[in-house]
Every structure is written in structure tokens, then in C-alpha cells.
Amino acid sequence: MDTAPSPTALIAAAYRIADDLLFPDAAEVDRTGEVPATHWTALADAGLYGIAAPQAVGGPGLELTQVIEIIEVLTSGCLSTAFTWLQHHGVVISLAGTTNDALRDELLDDAVTGRARAGVAYAGAVPTPPRMSASRTDGGWVFSGYAPFVSGWGHIDLLQISARDVDSDDIAAIVPTHPMSAAITVSPMRLTAGNASHTVSLRVDSLPVPDALVVSRVALDDFFATQNIGIRLNGALPFGILRRCTALLDRGGATAQARRLRERGSEIRTRLDTSLADADALLAARADGAQLAVDAAAALVAADGGRALVVGSDADRLSREATFTLVAASRPELKGLLLQRFSGENE
């Protein structure tokens, strides 16, 4: 593995790519529902597929706050590109920490460099009873069930699927997406925002998963205990919308309003960063961040006036993308908190 770029270089690259490539393309990506191959190449060439890899396995060893800044910045450029790319890092983290040495040796280097792009299907293991179950067989497992949202289909080479066995353990396996197994049925989904993420639902019917592809096996309580990091990372998405909306407000002369929105964002971001050990506080801050993205987009609509009603305008797209952050990577608890906020239930 080549030497990883420095944290400073990675952050600078994220700003450059977001402003010079992703944002200028964002309207066309939204219109066509397709992310150009140049986006994936630019992210790989800059080393941005490996930001979650620790130094021990050849990664840059970024601090969590640095990873979050990069996610926010890239989201400010193009939500579809950033959201698809974001899924990849869960697989990098799994491979870096797996005890399956052969699987790590086979896949990690390509994942860190972006030669192999990855997605995840965690949601099937979350509810009780699970949507995705695993049954033990000789030398492996059989997965069956439903994964409701899988992003990057057609762009990703690897998919990490989580399932739960009868003993309530979580089984995570990394399977190739091509050639696609006959046990997997794909149903494309058309989204109101982020449609170029190529999000699909998967129906899995007796998919054989050999032990050689199992990246982890953890008890259910331990699985949920690790979800706070994922909530924090996905909580960066609304702040990407905030970044772009406030930049456009500044450009239009609404600098005082942009400054106030940024101040609200700083306060919420601090609560997110200090609540990683407190799931309830973390979800509350995550809800506040999503609401702030909606407020920032609404402020941009108000500032732009009639131009905001034109399909494909920045304000139109960012409003829909702010709505996306209310739902993406959500949990029932987060849904309840957002319902309370938007209905004024606690006022």
C-alpha cells in the first residue's frame, strides 16, 4: 500500500473537489440521476476512499472531527456523490478490524485506494424480528430476507450485508456485487433527492455465504453499541447542506442570516461531538441538525424568491436534499424526535 496522504492534504482535496467539481456538476447529476465517473476517480486519486483506515493498516489515521469535516464538505458539493461514497467507509472500518486475516489481505488495500468501491446493507439486522436472518450451514451461512435501502448499486464492487442468526448474533459478510448472485433480487428506487445514489432494495433468498467472506460476528448488544459512530457520521450530512446554503446566502447578500445559521450549526455540532457516549443526547442533536438543514434551505428559498421555484435551481435541489437528511440513515427514535420538533409538540 502506498503512503497515505496527510490529513491536511485530504481536507484540502475535499474542499477543492467539492467546489471545483462536485458543486458545478450537482444540478446535472440531480437532473439525470447519474454521477459521472470523474467524481469517483477524483475521490480515489485524492485518497479520499481511505479516510476511515487507521494508521496501523496503512491509512491516514484521521481524527473523527477531520473525517466529519470531509463528509460535510463533500456533501456540500453533491449529495448523491457524497452519500454513495460515505457508505464505503463502513466496509473499510470492518476490514481494518476483522480477525479474518485472509479477507482483510484480499480486500482492504483495494478498498482503501478506491480500486474497489463498497456499499453496506445494515438495516436488515436492526429491527426485531430482523428483516435479514442468517442460518448456519456446514462451512458457512445462508442469508435470507430484505434490505430496504442499499445505495451505489451499479457503482459498487462489494457489499457488506448484516444479518442476525437464531442466537441473536450479528453476522456481517462482504460479498461481490458482480457477477450478482441469483439469490439476490434488485428493485431500483426513484428518490426525490439523491436519486443518483442508485439506491435499491434487495430481496435475498437463501444466499450462501461461506465463512471466508464473514468479516465480523458480534452479539446484538455489541452491534447496537457501535451504532453511535454511524449516527455521528450520518449526522454530518445536514451540515453539508448547511454549508452550501449559507455560502449561497452570503453570495446573495444575506450575510447576517447566514452567520446566524452557522452559529446554530456550531452549537449543534458541538453537542454531536460530545454525545458519542450518550445515545439519547446524540439522537437529539442529530434531529436538531436535520431540522437546521431544512431551516437553512428554507432561508435560501426565501432569499432567492421566484428563482427558487424553478425546477433544478440550487434552492430547489437543496430543499429536497435537506428533506433527504430527515430520513436517510434514520431510526424510529430519530423519527419520533423530528415529529415532535416539526409539530411543536414540546412547545
Side-chain angles (χ1 to χ4, degrees):
M1 185 181 297
D2 296 334
T3 302
S6 70
T8 301
L10 289 167
I11 292 170
Y15 278 94
R16 173 179 53 78
I17 291 170
D19 290 337
D20 296 347
L21 177 63
L22 303 190
F23 183 66
D25 285 351
E28 185 68 3
V29 169
D30 182 62
R31 185 185 70 81
T32 63
E34 294 293 335
V35 174
T38 51
H39 289 197
W40 314 126
T41 301
L43 293 171
D45 288 348
L48 290 167
Y49 274 99
I51 62 170
Q55 286 181 313
V57 296
L62 294 180
E63 300 291 335
L64 180 60
T65 54
Q66 295 171 319
V67 171
I68 288 166
E69 182 178 3
I70 290 171
I71 295 170
E72 288 186 14
V73 169
L74 292 179
T75 302
S76 79
C78 174
L79 175 68
S80 288
T81 302
F83 186 70
T84 306
W85 161 88
L86 178 58
Q87 315 309 306
H88 177 89
H89 304 296
V91 177
V92 171
I93 292 169
S94 293
L95 286 169
T98 187
T99 58
N100 186 340
D101 295 343
L103 189 66
R104 182 181 61 246
D105 292 345
E106 178 186 357
L107 300 179
L108 181 58
D109 191 31
D110 283 348
V112 167
T113 59
R115 290 191 295 267
R117 299 191 292 268
V120 295
Y122 294 146
V126 172
T128 298
R131 296 189 185 100
M132 188 73 65
S133 61
S135 300
R136 185 66 182 166
T137 62
D138 290 340
W141 301 84
V142 173
F143 282 17
S144 292
Y146 179 61
F149 288 94
V150 177
S151 295
W153 202 259
H155 292 306
I156 58 175
D157 308 295
L158 305 168
L159 178 67
Q160 180 171 318
I161 304 179
S162 288
R164 278 162 56 186
D165 74 0
V166 294
D167 296 321
S168 297
D169 284 345
D170 175 69
I171 310 297
I174 297 177
V175 300
T177 59
H178 48 79
M180 189 176 69
S181 170
I184 299 177
T185 302
V186 179
S187 298
M189 307 179 74
R190 186 174 183 185
L191 306 181
T192 59
N195 191 50
S197 64
H198 282 209
T199 296
V200 302
S201 63
L202 300 181
R203 180 69 63 180
V204 178
D205 184 15
S206 299
L207 174 69
V209 177
D211 286 332
L213 297 182
V214 173
V215 70
S216 67
R217 181 177 182 183
V218 296
L220 187 59
D221 288 344
D222 293 334
F223 171 76
F224 283 116
T226 64
Q227 295 305 294
N228 282 2
I229 291 294
I231 291 170
R232 179 62 188 98
L233 294 178
N234 283 294
L237 294 171
F239 290 88
I241 307 301
L242 174 68
R243 281 176 179 267
R244 186 56 59 183
C245 287
T246 53
L248 293 172
L249 285 167
D250 278 336
R251 192 171 72 183
T255 54
Q257 292 79 10
R259 181 173 62 253
R260 175 58 186 140
L261 288 163
R262 289 192 185 99
E263 289 170 351
R264 288 173 59 190
S266 294
E267 185 272 329
I268 296 169
R269 191 184 286 109
T270 297
R271 285 196 284 121
L272 283 165
D273 289 337
T274 57
S275 300
L276 285 173
D278 184 341
D280 290 341
L282 182 67
L283 283 169
R286 171 72 173 84
D288 288 341
Q291 183 175 10
L292 176 59
V294 172
D295 289 349
L300 182 62
V301 169
D304 280 3
R307 290 178 299 169
L309 300 183
V310 177
V311 173
S313 66
D314 288 333
D316 162 53
R317 186 186 70 259
L318 287 162
S319 293
R320 289 183 281 110
E321 291 179 351
T323 303
F324 179 98
T325 71
L326 299 176
V327 178
S330 187
R331 294 286 185 272
E333 299 87 352
L334 179 57
K335 179 179 179 179
L337 289 168
L338 287 167
L339 280 168
Q340 290 175 0
R341 280 158 174 73
F342 285 113
S343 68
E345 183 177 326
N346 292 334
E347 293 180 359

